[in-house]
């Protein structure tokens, strides 16, 4: 057990509240600050892509007994439903029988997490704006605005869980030897909405992640508990088929009629949604170090913001908390050691999921519409079913295991090199499940190393 | 001619003062702000690596007639003098007969540039601290410290020439879609000193850039006008043979005796210099965009900070001014167009010199001690002398030409691929200047494209 500390967490998002619960259960006094009002009392207006919880997220929740409460507000999703432009629908299962990710509404989940944290004894301080931090003595500076008079709040430890544009990290960035990068994507996103049927049922299969892959852009949809779907349109800001090119109602209607004809009946308020909802940015943020002495640490998006295409932003943030908890159990009151070992363990894995997520846009928006890619996935699944000890597909390593992301990425690259050779076998589309192909894969596995 | 503008430049360094002279000559009112006192009135305590002016720098100075004044305070350097650990000295000429870079003391050059700017009618405002800028209307915020009451100063245009940690860029970084990265090197540097002989002459050859290449670390020296040399020790912060490993006088003396025996007589105050002078950091900073509407632009290190190993930080910054001036001449009062075309033209070249500079540490600290590398350079020079229209070595492209850096980098990679094949010819060390090798290079040049 650790000596009780007075701890401030900046940010009442998913990772901040989960960390608060962990720290409170470890006997510490925990205050969570957020500049926004309590989201349980106001309409949510934050980011809009639905979340998917997978093994890493569940593991972190299980450890503090929260998995059952959260599973009740999620919907299992066991496959991709791929909507081709000609109306054809393909299904691609994510894993083996029963393996599924869980679709969760961000606002529903976040409100639930705050409830659970309060029940655990965490104190929330909403509408408290933290503008700066003294890294040397963990003092927070709070005030109405950046140029007003600030009040000082002294803590033993400060955690930055305040997202990709973290104020806590902002102070760390001004230290020497702090590596930092932010890169904005040329692709933005906009929320659209598929309402429930009048009887509360879902208009399309609720247990699928729906994708309309169109190359440079795509539409996706994930189910909510109330029968609706949260849809997200990902598209370049500029150029042909871009947000910039859809300025008028007619352009929008024609665009959807051409590329997403089967959405006509299920997105009734397309024009209203599209022109009302903001177009949001995507950013990849990397930094190092994540901690300062034994006083300050970053978790979640404030340490590693990624793009959403693997559905792992929250899962990676929750895994930060798992690793922090492991280090706390190992090193007790040696917080400098806890922080150093935490960042050392997590950094390569955060970089790996950043890379995997970036690549997955191409997989979702282009490859899922490519027959050859679907064949490759089918071969991998067939071989994996026959030789589960020899082959676990990359998606399963990332999503249905807690293997370090960096290992999953390296093994994935190794498997891809093998599959490149397999796919170049003449007439592979007719011979894909033949003994020769099976033998070829085994030979390649024995000859290559990763 | 442009309509006169009221222009603020933040930073009285080399690039800021040169830009001021250009803008003043174009008829604008120019105020240069610096948070430091006038460096002509105080002892200089800034960065300490000597500068080398090469063609890009000279071109920018010539345009405003300053090249003659500056040449007088520089020393031509036409070769590397490579000090091997066994005492052997190798020379490697940079270009053809007469081609030389010019060694300049940063403080001497910067003071001279401020004098010249004042003569041109530029107004300097030293000890004025700019803390923020309103990008929309080019208003500066000035005050004693960051949290004091600020005064507002309204301009038509603001240029950030305030270095790698620019406050002007700091405000731009908080805009959406602003890409940014800062990466600190694992290698730091420390200034050491070779004094003049009693009669004012130089203790070692003044027309050489002296290198003591030792793999992971190196010492270098560049001559000053007063007979002294500015020496710079580049070394990792941590590990074996690092700044961290030289904590005591005996460690330092033993280290120099082992690795730099021939410096014993020329660096008399080694212990004093080493323990008194700070260990400095090296950072690579990249960002984009560099401008905001028609109001604000970044130049020099505030837009692209690089490592010093190619000697091009100042030259690249001066070339920014050349390009800005070209765009001003082309687009007159359309400042938004001037800024957009400037950043579009410069960004790929800034990225290229960043990459070339990073690579050059390995060339200077390791390859210059490698017989095979020296042979390769010898072959390139021999072939280039015979076929100047077919082959200009990379160093000459970067340093003795104004070819865009991005082209120089691409052609350099292409030439390297050719030289890799040439160096693998059996017995190349005895056959290097044979007709067969000449023919081989010509064949490779005809078969490859870059």
């Amino acid at each position: 057990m650790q000596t009780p500390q007075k701890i401030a967490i900046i940010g009442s998002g998913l990772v901040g509240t989960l960390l608060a619960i962990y720290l409170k259960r470890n006997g510490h006094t925990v205050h969570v600050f957020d500049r926004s009002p309590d989201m349980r009392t106001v309409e949510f207006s934050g980011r809009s892509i639905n979340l998917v919880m997978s093994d890493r997220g569940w593991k972190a929740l299980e450890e503090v007994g929260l998995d059952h409460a959260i599973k009740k507000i999620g919907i299992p999703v066991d496959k991709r439903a791929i909507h081709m432009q000609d109306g054809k629908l393909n299904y691609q299962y994510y894993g083996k029988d029963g393996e599924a990710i869980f679709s969760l509404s961000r606002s529903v989940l976040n409100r639930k997490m705050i409830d659970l944290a309060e029940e655990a004894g965490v104190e929330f301080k909403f509408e408290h704006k933290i503008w700066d931090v003294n890294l040397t003595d963990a003092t927070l500076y709070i005030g109405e605005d950046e140029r007003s008079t600030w009040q000082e709040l002294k803590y033993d430890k400060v955690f930055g869980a305040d997202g990709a544009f973290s104020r806590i990290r902002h102070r760390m960035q001004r230290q020497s030897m702090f590596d930092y990068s932010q890169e904005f994507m040329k692709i933005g996103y906009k929320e659209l909405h598929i309402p429930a049927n009048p009887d509360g049922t879902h208009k399309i299969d609720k247990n699928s992640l729906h994708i309309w892959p169109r190359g440079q852009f795509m539409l996706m949809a994930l189910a909510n508990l109330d029968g609706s779907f949260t849809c997200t349109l990902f598209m370049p800001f500029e150029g042909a088929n871009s947000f910039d090119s859809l300025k008028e109602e007619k352009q929008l209607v024609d665009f959807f009629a051409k590329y997403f004809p089967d959405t006509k009946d299920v997105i009734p308020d397309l024009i209203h949604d599209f022109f009302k909802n903001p177009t949001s940015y995507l950013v990849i943020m990397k930094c190092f170090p994540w901690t300062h002495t034994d006083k300050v640490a970053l978790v979640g998006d404030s340490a590693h913001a990624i793009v959403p295409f693997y559905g792992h932003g929250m899962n990676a943030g929750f895994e930060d908390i798992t690793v922090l908890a492991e280090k706390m159990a190992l090193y007790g009151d040696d917080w400098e050691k806890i922080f150093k070992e935490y960042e050392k363990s997590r950094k390569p894995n955060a970089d790996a999921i950043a890379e995997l997520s970036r690549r997955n846009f191409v997989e979702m928006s282009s490859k899922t519409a490519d027959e050859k890619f679907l064949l490759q996935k089918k071969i991998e699944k067939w071989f994996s079913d026959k030789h589960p000890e020899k082959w676990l597909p990359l998606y399963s390593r990332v999503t249905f295991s807690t293997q370090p992301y960096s290992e999953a990425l390296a093994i994935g690259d190794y498997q891809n090199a093998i599959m490149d050779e397999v796919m170049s076998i003449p007439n592979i589309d007719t011979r894909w499940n033949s003994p020769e192909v099976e033998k070829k894969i085994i030979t390649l596995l024995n000859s290559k190393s990763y």
Side-chain angles (χ1 to χ4, degrees), chain A residues 321-421:
Chain A
I321 309 308
T322 297
V323 172
L324 253 178
E326 286 168 7
K327 303 305 177 195
M328 289 194 282
L330 272 174
Y331 303 116
D333 286 335
D334 187 349
W335 284 87
E336 186 148 7
K337 180 88 173 163
I338 291 166
F339 284 177
K340 278 269 168 295
E341 293 296 315
Y342 154 70
E343 67 181 13
K344 188 174 139 196
S345 160
R346 287 305 285 161
K347 174 63 174 166
N349 293 313
D351 286 346
I353 191 62
E355 176 60 21
L356 287 162
S357 303
R358 180 201 288 272
R359 291 185 191 177
N360 228 39
F361 177 74
V362 181
E363 172 155 335
M364 290 180 79
S365 70
S366 300
K367 292 190 183 168
T368 55
D370 174 10
E371 292 295 336
K372 200 170 167 197
F373 174 78
L374 296 176
L375 174 61
Q376 178 179 328
K377 291 286 142 182
K378 195 161 71 174
I379 299 171
E380 283 190 58
K381 184 160 170 35
W382 160 75
F383 186 83
S384 176
D385 285 344
K386 287 195 105 162
H387 302 282
E389 78 295 349
K390 289 200 200 320
W391 195 285
L392 183 61
L394 175 61
Y395 188 90
S396 297
R397 291 182 187 277
V398 173
T399 300
F400 302 126
S401 94
T402 55
Q403 179 175 44
Y405 287 126
S406 54
E407 277 180 42
L409 173 60
I411 295 173
D413 283 345
Y414 159 76
Q415 290 176 333
N416 256 336
I418 289 173
M419 289 308 297
D420 281 348
E421 297 199 36

Side-chain angles (χ1 to χ4, degrees), chain A residues 257-325:
Chain A
K258 178 172 178 187
Y259 290 109
F260 310 120
D262 62 345
T263 64
K264 191 170 188 302
D265 296 331
V266 298
I267 309 183
D269 295 326
L270 171 65
I271 293 170
H272 172 264
D273 290 352
F274 188 92
F275 291 108
K276 189 201 69 178
N277 291 339
T279 307
S280 301
Y281 297 100
L282 295 167
V283 66
I284 299 176
M285 190 287 303
K286 297 181 182 181
C287 67
F288 200 79
W290 294 357
T291 68
H292 185 88
T293 66
D294 62 346
K295 294 297 183 203
V296 179
L298 304 173
V299 293
D301 281 3
S302 71
H304 48 82
I306 62 179
V307 289
F309 305 114
Y310 227 112
H312 270 261
M314 171 186 59
N315 287 291
F318 278 17
E319 199 171 56
D320 289 348
I321 309 308
T322 297
V323 172
L324 253 178

Side-chain angles (χ1 to χ4, degrees), chain A residues 9 17 36 75 95 185 212 250 284 290:
Chain A
I9 297 172
T17 48
S36 301
I75 294 175
M185 301 292 102
W212 289 257
K250 185 171 182 317
I284 299 176
W290 294 357

Side-chain angles (χ1 to χ4, degrees), chain A residues 138-309:
Chain A
T139 297
L140 296 174
Y141 298 94
I142 182 169
E144 197 38 51
D145 67 62
E146 192 164 6
R147 300 276 305 147
S148 67
T149 306
W150 292 342
Q151 189 192 337
E152 294 188 5
L153 297 173
K154 175 82 188 71
Y155 283 87
D156 298 322
K157 315 282 165 211
V158 166
F159 286 89
D162 47 346
F165 300 100
S166 168
R167 293 298 297 199
I168 304 303
R169 190 192 64 232
H170 194 254
R171 168 55 53 192
M172 293 167 73
Q173 270 167 254
R174 293 161 83 171
Q175 303 282 109
S176 275
M177 300 300 279
F178 191 85
D179 289 344
Y180 176 78
S181 70
Q182 64 184 42
E183 179 194 355
F184 283 85
M185 301 292 102
K186 305 289 180 226
I187 288 162
Y189 68 92
K190 193 183 278 284
E191 180 176 341
L192 300 171
H193 188 68
I194 299 177
N197 287 316
D199 65 356
T201 56
H202 290 83
K203 284 190 193 293
I204 53 177
D205 178 39
K206 69 176 179 180
N207 298 121
S208 293
L209 184 149
H210 295 267
I211 314 180
W212 289 257
R214 298 295 180 266
Q216 301 299 306
F217 58 98
M218 68 171 171
L219 183 68
M220 58 166 279
L222 275 164
N224 296 310
L225 267 191
D226 64 4
S228 70
F229 280 81
T230 301
C231 299
T232 318
L233 175 64
F234 293 96
M235 194 157 67
F237 288 106
E238 293 174 0
N241 298 326
S242 69
F243 286 110
D244 197 43
S245 73
L246 301 179
K247 295 282 191 204
E248 288 164 30
E249 291 188 7
K250 185 171 182 317
Q251 292 171 323
L252 176 68
V253 171
D254 289 351
F255 177 78
F256 266 71
K258 178 172 178 187
Y259 290 109
F260 310 120
D262 62 345
T263 64
K264 191 170 188 302
D265 296 331
V266 298
I267 309 183
D269 295 326
L270 171 65
I271 293 170
H272 172 264
D273 290 352
F274 188 92
F275 291 108
K276 189 201 69 178
N277 291 339
T279 307
S280 301
Y281 297 100
L282 295 167
V283 66
I284 299 176
M285 190 287 303
K286 297 181 182 181
C287 67
F288 200 79
W290 294 357
T291 68
H292 185 88
T293 66
D294 62 346
K295 294 297 183 203
V296 179
L298 304 173
V299 293
D301 281 3
S302 71
H304 48 82
I306 62 179
V307 289
F309 305 114

Side-chain angles (χ1 to χ4, degrees), chain A residues 405-446:
Chain A
Y405 287 126
S406 54
E407 277 180 42
L409 173 60
I411 295 173
D413 283 345
Y414 159 76
Q415 290 176 333
N416 256 336
I418 289 173
M419 289 308 297
D420 281 348
E421 297 199 36
V422 171
M423 295 304 290
S424 69
I425 295 172
N427 302 317
I428 183 68
D429 51 329
T430 55
R431 301 168 58 202
W432 65 272
N433 56 354
S434 64
E436 303 91 84
V437 170
E438 183 181 354
K439 209 176 142 193
K440 172 85 174 173
I441 297 175
I442 290 168
T443 308
L444 287 168
L445 279 169
N446 290 336

